Amino acid sequence: RLPAFAFCEVIAMGKTYRTVQGDMWDSIAYRELGSEAYTDKLMRLNQQYLEIYIFPAGIELQLPEVEQAARPAENLPPWKR
């Protein structure tokens, strides 16, 4: 059984992403969250890295919680699947 403080710590951390050389904010948002429209949420959650435009490898970013698209993939055009 985990102590209560350990459980809260796990919840607070959420999902993370470790950058690879050449990653940019919008490409991370698109690839990991499904749309570049989430770039602002990603940046707000990782304000300590705002001065970085093109990431080096190995930086761990927190990923925001986002709602998944309501449409199933088969209804999307081929270039959006």
Side-chain angles (χ1 to χ4, degrees), residues 14-17 28 32-33 42 45-46 61-65:
K15 293 183 179 182
T16 61
Y17 171 76
I28 296 168
E32 298 299 317
L33 304 172
L42 179 63
L45 194 57
N46 296 281
L61 299 175
Q62 296 293 316
L63 297 177
E65 292 291 323

Side-chain angles (χ1 to χ4, degrees), residues 5-46:
F5 66 86
F7 181 69
C8 292
E9 205 169 288
V10 171
I11 291 173
M13 286 180 64
K15 293 183 179 182
T16 61
Y17 171 76
R18 188 168 305 275
T19 62
V20 295
Q21 178 70 37
D23 273 343
M24 294 184 287
W25 291 104
D26 57 344
S27 63
I28 296 168
Y30 180 78
R31 188 173 50 255
E32 298 299 317
L33 304 172
S35 173
E36 64 276 351
Y38 295 117
T39 302
D40 62 330
K41 289 184 180 187
L42 179 63
M43 293 175 81
R44 280 185 291 189
L45 194 57
N46 296 281

Side-chain angles (χ1 to χ4, degrees), residues 45-70:
L45 194 57
N46 296 281
Q47 292 185 14
Q48 68 272 32
Y49 301 113
L50 288 179
E51 71 280 357
I52 300 174
Y53 181 69
I54 299 175
F55 284 93
I59 294 186
E60 191 168 309
L61 299 175
Q62 296 293 316
L63 297 177
E65 292 291 323
V66 296
E67 292 183 21
Q68 296 300 316

